[in-house]
Amino acid sequence: MSDADEEPPGRAGTSSHNQLVRSLGLLDILMVGVAAMIGGSIYVLTGPAIGLAGSAVIVAFIINAIITLFTAMAYAELGSAMPEAGGGYLWVREGLPRPNAFISGWMAWFAHIIAGSLYAVSFASFLTGLLEMMNLSHDLVLLNIIPLDKFIAVISIAVFTYINIKGTSETGKTGDIVTIIQLGLIFILIAAGLWVMSGNPNWKMNFSNFAPMGIGGVVAAMGLTFIAFEGYEVIVQTGEEVKNPRRNIPRAIFISLGAVVIVYCLIAFVSIGAIFPAGIESWKFIGESGELGIMKAAELLAPYGAFIVLAGGLISTLAALNATTFSSARVAFAMGRNYNMPYQLSAIHKKNKTPYVAILISGIIMAIMAYGLPLGQIAVAAGVIFLLLFTQVNMAVITIRRIYGDKLEYGFKTPFFPVIPIIGIFLKLGLAIFLLFTQPLSWAITVVWVVIGFLVYRMYTFRKEIDHYAPIVTSEGDLERKDYRILIPYTPEDPDRLLKYAIRVAKENFGEINVLRVITVPKQTPLSAGTGYAETARKSFEPLDKIMDKENILNHYLVRISHDASEAILATVEEQKIDLLITDFETFRNSKKIQTILTCDVLAILSEGNEEFTFEPTRTSRRGFGQKNLVVLYDGGDHSDLVLKATSWLERSGQFKINVLYVNTKKDDEQEKIVSITDILKQKEYLEQVGIEFNEINLSDSDMRFSNEAADTILSSLSNFQPDVIITGASISKFSLFSDPHFLNMLYELKCPIIVARHFAIPGVHKIKTLIHKLRTLILEKINDLKKLDKTRQI
């Protein structure tokens, strides 16, 4: 496996029958985004938001737009570089480990369907209200079974389901017309308000009490309305059907976001400034009317103002229903095409070229929700679901940049990378936590839905996906399984080079060894073409089988066929519940995908395969004669625990004399108390009662600034030991041994086997643990000081 394996993701391997047609222009997807962001929210949410923040609601809208912009940039970047149906789900699939992709798609599909159901119900409510104003409604019930509003909601879903099946062009044209009418009605209301304000010089008095509820009111208004500005998730779902996506998707995202923020601010501005209710401030009048606040303001604002709001609400909810019907179907379609849901969902209509099965299934579920479920309670979960999805996308944009680098063609690249997506992560998580306290039901529903999704994934989806992308054609070995499981990729040129390390680790952990051989097939070739090599691959395991039977090690052999060797390794790690991957250093270094997505510990071996030692105890070695020098580079960083474990595994063979070289990157003038390396290591159970020689390297400020100087300093110290084997972590301070060219040269110059240990952990966990340990130490020190002071006082 080489660096060439990380080719830009695409639809290679998918047949033409499940590919969509590019027929949408910039205006079409721009209208999709505007429709999704305005929806009915501009009429329904603006009133309660004004009640919370007063005229400062305009500030709340602007801050929400700024917060949204951090994630919008991630969507613009990935939408231009990977323009396919699925949007956030697709990128999470490329950039994060399993089962993140399925869970993100599962959540996104659910949230889009909830949104569509809500728009349908809102449309029915607006239409019923309009009929009542016109005295045309008399509590009609269809056949004394279906209430009128429920009937209208279901029919509206059915109509837009049909339009979406009929064709993407029809969907786009319908969306354009409806959204333009929607904007026209909104601008009529805004123009009327500005006209009234221009004739009344006292309008400024309505803004004199700018933030009546203080900062808390502004924050509450932000929490209520932030979801209205997240329409870019709908825009990117058009990625596979829009012309020139690298240019049009970023433009549509930023133009629609800017336009919608201006529209929201103007509606709030004229609603507060252009009305003069008797005996009450305008903001309070609107706020006390709640969801009907904008309609009540419109009644005072202009003749037929309430009618304009109702008509605008009707059109807005229809436009949003069209957009969410489109987007929910694209998520289902993408998941079906990637075998995360039944493959039938990826079927394309022969004539209309639309994902008709995905549209139909999504529409049916949407109608059932609109008719029979308590949407008011379920809908609160949509906000949390979208926030979690946006958090995953912000993570994915960082990892995708790392995996593919400049191999992707970007129409837009996020500036100040990766600061912007990191800020986006914290902002979205912060808002999600805010909802945990303000709307705990939203989290409860979200957790239940995610748990259901995880069960579906483990019981059905995972096996289907693996069988398609990296099927097993041969599997042999012992029936018994061990808790600790090691995986080594089969290397035909030197099949037992990694095995000696795996045997040593397996013995120390009472574990098993899994050997994987991948038959790689070109992307244009069906995987079935590789089955002819299965028997040859199976026979190649026989020499390894004899070695492990002799050592009494439980073992299993797997042969997979795949277009991507990295995918086969990742699938095996998850399927077999692997704890440790022992692999070739160069193989691991050249696969950014495995480095980024792998979810187990790694020992990457850099050697020529001519090690002049074994790992089995001998009498002479136990007496101290003939031992090899094992030098351990230890820096107390993320991978240090695994470094110590690997050291203990090898030390117990009796073949090595251990020298620990502590790389100290702390400054002498730092206030924090630095525990000596001897104390740190003696606390580790792995090296208790072992005779170890400790040494220390101090990296200067210059060393820490320039990797070449740091590498030279460490190389000079290592050379003094004349090491036969070296164990080190995957990084030393901020320098990566897999990517930093100077540290790579250092490894190559050492001319001895090197074991590079990389511990798997969720990013930031080690730092959090370190901070907790420091805080605990500080608290204990303070308690001891207080005890000493108390004793002194007693004396």
Side-chain angles (χ1 to χ4, degrees), residues 447-459:
V447 169
V448 169
W449 184 250
V450 169
V451 169
I452 293 172
F454 187 77
L455 292 175
V456 171
Y457 173 78
R458 293 307 310 181
M459 296 171 63

Side-chain angles (χ1 to χ4, degrees), residues 486-489 498 501-502 505 580-584 602-605:
I486 303 161
L487 175 67
I488 59 173
L498 301 175
Y501 294 91
V505 176
L580 178 69
L581 171 67
I582 300 179
T583 186
D584 176 71
V602 178
L603 295 182
I605 312 299

Side-chain angles (χ1 to χ4, degrees), residues 121-260:
V121 170
S122 298
F123 168 74
S125 299
F126 277 117
L127 183 57
T128 303
L130 189 61
L131 291 173
E132 289 175 353
M133 286 182 65
M134 301 171 66
N135 296 317
L136 296 177
S137 174
H138 304 284
D139 297 324
L140 297 177
V141 178
L142 187 67
L143 300 178
N144 295 317
I145 298 175
I146 305 176
L148 180 61
D149 58 342
K150 297 291 186 182
F151 176 72
I152 292 171
V154 171
I155 290 298
S156 64
I157 292 171
V159 169
F160 280 100
T161 299
Y162 173 77
I163 292 172
N164 273 262
I165 290 174
K166 192 65 179 173
T168 302
S169 295
E170 287 77 2
T171 303
K173 290 175 184 176
T174 302
D176 292 349
I177 294 169
V178 174
T179 305
I180 289 170
I181 295 172
Q182 166 195 34
L183 290 173
L185 292 170
I186 290 172
F187 285 128
I188 289 172
L189 196 62
I190 292 171
L194 293 174
W195 176 263
V196 171
M197 291 170 69
S198 67
N200 193 327
N202 294 325
W203 67 267
K204 294 180 181 178
M205 295 299 296
N206 288 346
F207 295 91
S208 58
N209 190 6
F210 185 66
M213 309 298 287
I215 295 176
V218 175
V219 173
M222 289 170 56
L224 179 67
T225 59
F226 78 91
I227 201 66
F229 302 106
E230 316 292 348
Y232 43 76
E233 164 64 18
V234 179
I235 290 175
V236 297
Q237 298 297 341
T238 67
E240 204 166 316
E241 294 158 276
V242 62
K243 302 169 186 175
N244 196 357
R246 288 184 178 84
R247 184 192 69 174
N248 286 333
I249 287 180
R251 287 186 177 185
I253 288 174
F254 295 127
I255 293 172
S256 62
L257 180 59
V260 166

Side-chain angles (χ1 to χ4, degrees), residues 279-292:
I280 187 172
E281 293 179 88
S282 60
W283 72 268
K284 190 176 290 186
F285 172 80
I286 295 171
E288 288 180 356
S289 301
E291 294 178 353
L292 299 176

Side-chain angles (χ1 to χ4, degrees), residues 9-72:
R11 287 169 287 168
T14 61
S15 57
S16 59
H17 84 277
N18 60 2
Q19 294 182 16
L20 301 172
V21 177
R22 298 195 181 277
S23 58
L24 300 175
L26 175 59
L27 178 64
D28 299 319
I29 63 172
L30 184 60
M31 292 297 104
V32 165
V34 170
M37 284 189 266
I38 290 180
S41 302
I42 197 165
Y43 301 110
V44 175
L45 296 182
T46 305
I50 290 173
L52 292 168
S55 51
V57 72
I58 296 171
V59 175
F61 289 152
I62 293 172
I63 295 174
N64 269 342
I66 293 171
I67 290 173
T68 296
L69 187 61
F70 288 99
T71 301

Side-chain angles (χ1 to χ4, degrees), residues 1 42 44 53 62 133 156 249-250 252 318 349 383 474 495 503 505 561 569 663 672 685 701 715 754 763 773:
M1 182 172 50
I42 197 165
V44 175
I62 293 172
M133 286 182 65
S156 64
I249 287 180
L318 283 180
H349 196 282
T474 297
I503 290 173
V505 176
I561 303 174
I569 291 174
V663 182
E672 65 183 32
E685 60 180 348
D701 289 344
L715 178 61
I754 300 170
H773 176 72

